[in-house]
Every structure is written in structure tokens, then in C-alpha cells.
């Protein structure tokens, strides 16, 4: 357009700035801003409004506020654009509140912007106060509050809002289903999905990621196969997130052949896809294959994250590759600056304990920054029984009994460790302690009906 000598006007620039905002193209947005200043179109309110919005969506809050402050005339869109810039980042909400309070006119977008901002900043109490003050709410208002509650673990509060909504759209159903799935309540997620089906609301890809996640948590092969068929039958878009969720689901249900097939169908797998496959292979006895996939991931130039390393360390543990595991641990900490978490420590303790390197495993347990993890302690205690190390077993058992006082297995492992060394008197004392605390060994049972 410029090369043809056609000059843009005040109608051109808002569309151009909207494009920069959509693409998060800050450099081109700044260049366009300079052209606007040189040509004088900044005096048009819609152009300045588009600038505020562009800078906000490009995470440049200071520039959004600067454009707003320099405006000679502002309308409700100007105020909403600045509130929206704060809301997107969930930052400096005290300043956003001052802007909101100064607004001569407010509409539902103004209130929704404040709710989004407070939700993104984690201040649900303030978000709820704004929500309750609204003279008129729309489905966005309700859904934003619902998402805020679910994201912060208040699933029952989210469900109360969902049930009281005057109208529900696809996004509300999706938010509630994903809220249940993300908070470890898969049965309720699937029950709601069935209700959604009965209401004849067709799910989309983002809905199905929550449904697939819930199915993965339940771990049933039959359910997983039905979900996979449903995605195909209903023509759900198999984007990367859906495929990754399907890989994770089939992997957790033990169907590694299907998980690998789905992985091979992703044109450009990302770190999440690789991590799901690596974790699945590692947990189902395919440790060498998991490490082979990890090497392929590195060859593709994709940096691993903390989830990837849980799978890699588990693979090393299950295959007995202790030195490789120690090397990966060092790379995780030094090369990728990933702070080890409980799951990483548990994998390392399990790996060292399986190899009989109990002293090293014990030191690893003692170095855990947030204190001993029951899973890591249990793995070490079990290894102490195998290798007859009563000294470490005693130390570990005492910690486990404090953390899990009702767990029968901890007492039995300690008793067995004593027995393996012929320390019958100590083994008997453990069993006496169980009786005194009224802790009974769980009886065997069968699911087979007679």
C-alpha cells in the first residue's frame, strides 16, 4: 500500500495495530506508533485506543499507560483498553482499580476486565467483590469467576457458580470439566461431560483435553479406547494438545503401542508430547526406549523440562543405569537450571536403592529441601529389607511412621528387615507396637464373586 503511494488514514491504523496485537509483534507495533506520531493520527481516539490495546497484548504495560495518559480525549473504550492491559498480566491491579474508579461510564466489559485481572493475579476475593457489584452479568462474567475458582482449587465454589448460571455456553461447560480434571476429580469431570452430551452441546478440542485427562487419571483401558474412538467419530480437531493428551492417556493405561502411534502422527512434537511418551515408556518397563526418545528429543533441539526429567530418571532407575541417572541429574541441575522436586528425588532414591547404594540413597533423602517424601522413604525402606541394612531401615522407618502413622506396610517392612538379620526380638517389638496402636495388617481380598 505504501509502495503504491496510498497513504493510510485513521481507519487504517487500528486494523494494523490489531494485527500487531494478535501476533504479539511489538517491534512492528512500535514502528507503527512512530508513523502515527509523525502523521498526527494519534489525535484520533480510536487510533490511541488501538495503541493501548496493542501494547497491553504485547505485555508492555508501561507503554499502554503512557499512551492513555497522553490522550486529550478518552471514551469508555480507552478506559477498558487500559484495564484490559492490566488484566491480561494480572499486574498492578491497584492502579487498574484506580482507573476503573475514575471511569465516567462503565459497561460489562469494564467489570469483566477487572474480574479477569484479579483472577490472573490470584486475588479471588477482590474478583468476587467486583462480580457481586455488577449491575448486569453476562456469560463471560460467570465463566471467568468459575475459571478463577477452579484454577485455584476451589472446585466446589466453581460448581456452585456453574449450577447457578442463568445460561451456559460451551466455554462454561469446558471450564468446569477441565476444572474437575485439573483438580484430581476425574469421575465428576466425566459425569459432567455426559450431561453436556445429553444437552446436545458439541465439545471442541479444548473440552476433550479435559475429558482425556480425566480418563487418564482413572486408568481404564476400556474407557481410554472409547474416548479415542469418540474423538475420531465426532471429528474433534486433533491438534497437538489433544494428541499429547491422548498419548498420556494411552500411556497411563498401558497401551504403549497406541501411544507411540499417536506420537508418530505429530508433525512437530513439542516438549509436552515428548515428556508424555517418555514417562509412559519409563513407567511400563521400556526404559531403554524412553532414553532413546529422549536422545531424539535433544537431537531435535527441544529443551527438556522438569516433567521430562522425571521420566528420564525413572527410566534410568528401572533399567539399572545408575551412572547415566547421576549424569542426567547433574545436567538437569547445572545445564537446564531445573530445581529438583519431590518426584525427581523419589526417582533418584529408588534408582540408588535398587542398586544397593543405600548410603547414597539415604544422603539423597536427607538433602530433600522440603523434607523427606513418603514415596522416596518407602523405596529406600524396601531396599533396606532386600539388602538387610537395619541401621538405615530404623532411621527411615521412624520418619515414615511419623508421616504415615496408619500405613501398615511401613511397620511390616521394618519388621522384615529385622527378621532378615535374625533380630527376632526387634521384629517382635515392631509387631507389638502395631498392636498397641491398633494397626492391623490388611487382609487379602478378591474381586471375584463366589
Amino acid at each position: 500500500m505504501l509502495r503504491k503511494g496510498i497513504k493510510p488514514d485513521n481507519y487504517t491504523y487500528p486494523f494494523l495495530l490489531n494485527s500487531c496485537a494478535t501476533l504479539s509483534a511489538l517491534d512492528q507495533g512500535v514502528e507503527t506508533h512512530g508513523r502515527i506520531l509523525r502523521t498526527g493520527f494519534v489525535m484520533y481516539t480510536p487510533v490511541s485506543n488501538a495503541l493501548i490495546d496493542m501494547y497491553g497484548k504485547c505485555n508492555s504495560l508501561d507503554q499502554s499507560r503512557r499512551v492513555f495518559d497522553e490522550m486529550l480525549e478518552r471514551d469508555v473504550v480507552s478506559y477498558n483498553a487500559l484495564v484490559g492491559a492490566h488484566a491480561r498480566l494480572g499486574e498492578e491491579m491497584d492502579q487498574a482499580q484506580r482507573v476503573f474508579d475514575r471511569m465516567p461510564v462503565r459497561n460489562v466489559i469494564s467489570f469483566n476486565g477487572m474480574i479477569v485481572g484479579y483472577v490472573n493475579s490470584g486475588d479471588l476475593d477482590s474478583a468476587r467483590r467486583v462480580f457481586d457489584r455488577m449491575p448486569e452479568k453476562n456469560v463471560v462474567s460467570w465463566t471467568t469467576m468459575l475459571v478463577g475458582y477452579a484454577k485455584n482449587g476451589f472446585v466446589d465454589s466453581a460448581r456452585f457458580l456453574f449450577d447457578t448460571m442463568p445460561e451456559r455456553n460451551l466455554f462454561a461447560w469446558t471450564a468446569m470439566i477441565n476444572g474437575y480434571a485439573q483438580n484430581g476429580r476425574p469421575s465428576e469431570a466425566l459425569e459432567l461431560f455426559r450431561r453436556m452430551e445429553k444437552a446436545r452441546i458439541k465439545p471442541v478440542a479444548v473440552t476433550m483435553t479435559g475429558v482425556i485427562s480425566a480418563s487418564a487419571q482413572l486408568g481404564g483401558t476400556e474407557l481410554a479406547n472409547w474416548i479415542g474412538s469418540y474423538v475420531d467419530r465426532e471429528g474433534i480437531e486433533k491438534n497437538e494438545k489433544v494428541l499429547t493428551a491422548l498419548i498420556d492417556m494411552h500411556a497411563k493405561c498401558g497401551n504403549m503401542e497406541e501411544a507411540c502411534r499417536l506420537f508418530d502422527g505429530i508433525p512437530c512434537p513439542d516438549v509436552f508430547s515428548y515428556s508424555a511418551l517418555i514417562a509412559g515408556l519409563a513407567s511400563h518397563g521400556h526404559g531403554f526406549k524412553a532414553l532413546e526418545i529422549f536422545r531424539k528429543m535433544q537431537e531435535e533441539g527441544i529443551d527438556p523440562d522438569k516433567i521430562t526429567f522425571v521420566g528420564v530418571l525413572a527410566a534410568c532407575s528401572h533399567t539399572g543405569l545408575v551412572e547415566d541417572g547421576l549424569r542426567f541429574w547433574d545436567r538437569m541441575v547445572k545445564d537446564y537450571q531445573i530445581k529438583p522436586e519431590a518426584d525427581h528425588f523419589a526417582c533418584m532414591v529408588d534408582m540408588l536403592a535398587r542398586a544397593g547404594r543405600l548410603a547414597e540413597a539415604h544422603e539423597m533423602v536427607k538433602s530433600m529441601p522440603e523434607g523427606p517424601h513418603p514415596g522416596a522413604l518407602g523405596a529406600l525402606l524396601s531396599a533396606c529389607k532386600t539388602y538387610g541394612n537395619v541401621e538405615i531401615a530404623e532411621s527411615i522407618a521412624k520418619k515414615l511412621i511419623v508421616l504415615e502413622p496408619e500405613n501398615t506396610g511401613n511397620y511390616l517392612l521394618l519388621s522384615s528387615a529385622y527378621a532378615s538379620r535374625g533380630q527376632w526380638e526387634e521384629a517382635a517389638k515392631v509387631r507389638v507396637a502395631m498392636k498397641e496402636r491398633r494397626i492391623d495388617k490388611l487382609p487379602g481380598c478378591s474381586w471375584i464373586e463366589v
Side-chain angles (χ1 to χ4, degrees), residues 118-137:
Y118 280 124
V119 164
N120 287 342
S121 69
D123 186 353
L124 291 182
D125 290 338
S126 295
R128 186 57 189 257
R129 279 194 294 271
V130 175
F131 178 80
D132 290 339
R133 284 175 55 197
M134 292 183 73
E136 181 184 349
K137 303 176 180 69

Side-chain angles (χ1 to χ4, degrees), residues 238-249 251 256 259-281 290 293-294 296-297 302-305 307-308:
K238 285 189 176 179
N239 59 29
E240 201 159 292
K241 287 186 178 179
V242 170
L243 285 171
T244 299
L246 287 168
I247 291 166
D248 182 61
M249 178 185 71
M256 291 313 306
C260 290
R261 186 189 72 79
L262 289 164
F263 180 84
D264 291 339
I266 301 177
C268 299
D270 61 9
V271 63
F272 304 108
S273 312
Y274 272 107
S275 296
L277 184 61
I278 289 167
L281 290 166
I293 296 296
F294 179 60
K296 179 183 176 184
M297 174 182 175
I302 299 170
D303 287 339
D305 63 10
I307 306 298
T308 317

Side-chain angles (χ1 to χ4, degrees), residues 102-305:
R102 281 165 36 206
M103 292 181 69
V105 178
R106 302 188 190 101
N107 57 21
V108 69
I109 296 172
S110 317
F111 283 94
N112 284 346
M114 291 300 297
I115 294 172
V116 169
Y118 280 124
V119 164
N120 287 342
S121 69
D123 186 353
L124 291 182
D125 290 338
S126 295
R128 186 57 189 257
R129 279 194 294 271
V130 175
F131 178 80
D132 290 339
R133 284 175 55 197
M134 292 183 73
E136 181 184 349
K137 303 176 180 69
N138 62 11
V139 70
V140 175
S141 320
W142 289 89
T143 306
T144 303
M145 277 305 308
L146 188 159
V147 169
Y149 280 128
K151 189 169 72 172
N152 287 276
F154 302 109
V155 191
D156 292 329
S157 297
R159 182 57 187 265
F160 177 79
L161 280 179
F162 180 83
D163 288 339
T164 53
M165 289 177 73
E167 61 173 312
R168 304 184 194 100
N169 62 6
L170 173 62
F171 300 106
W173 286 91
T174 297
M176 195 65 243
I177 290 168
N178 285 329
Y180 275 132
Q182 290 161 8
N183 285 279
R185 291 166 65 169
S187 297
E188 288 155 295
L190 293 177
E191 185 274 331
L192 196 64
F193 175 60
R194 293 186 188 101
R195 276 188 56 192
M196 178 179 162
E197 274 197 296
K198 288 179 182 177
R200 300 186 181 280
I201 298 173
K202 184 176 172 62
V204 291
V206 68
T207 317
M208 291 309 301
T209 56
V211 174
I212 295 165
S213 172
S215 304
Q217 291 173 53
L218 292 172
T221 305
E222 187 176 335
L223 176 61
N225 290 336
W226 182 84
I227 292 294
S229 300
Y230 181 92
V231 169
D232 291 333
R233 185 173 69 250
E234 297 298 321
I236 304 295
E237 180 196 0
K238 285 189 176 179
N239 59 29
E240 201 159 292
K241 287 186 178 179
V242 170
L243 285 171
T244 299
L246 287 168
I247 291 166
D248 182 61
M249 178 185 71
H250 284 295
K252 284 178 177 171
C253 295
N255 190 350
M256 291 313 306
E257 184 178 344
E258 180 64 9
C260 290
R261 186 189 72 79
L262 289 164
F263 180 84
D264 291 339
I266 301 177
C268 299
D270 61 9
V271 63
F272 304 108
S273 312
Y274 272 107
S275 296
L277 184 61
I278 289 167
L281 290 166
S283 64
H284 289 287
H286 305 287
F288 291 108
K289 177 70 173 175
L291 295 176
E292 180 186 324
I293 296 296
F294 179 60
R295 281 189 286 272
K296 179 183 176 184
M297 174 182 175
Q298 292 182 299
E299 288 169 4
E300 295 290 331
I302 299 170
D303 287 339
D305 63 10

Side-chain angles (χ1 to χ4, degrees), residues 384-405:
C384 287
K385 174 198 168 186
T386 302
Y387 291 98
N389 192 317
V390 175
E391 292 75 21
I392 295 178
E394 285 181 316
S395 172
I396 295 301
K398 287 175 183 175
K399 292 185 176 69
L400 267 174
I401 288 168
V402 171
L403 291 170
E404 300 177 328

Side-chain angles (χ1 to χ4, degrees), residues 71-84:
M71 291 179 71
L72 298 177
E73 292 184 11
R74 305 182 186 101
D75 57 15
V76 68
V77 178
S78 316
Y79 284 93
N80 286 344
L82 185 56
V83 168

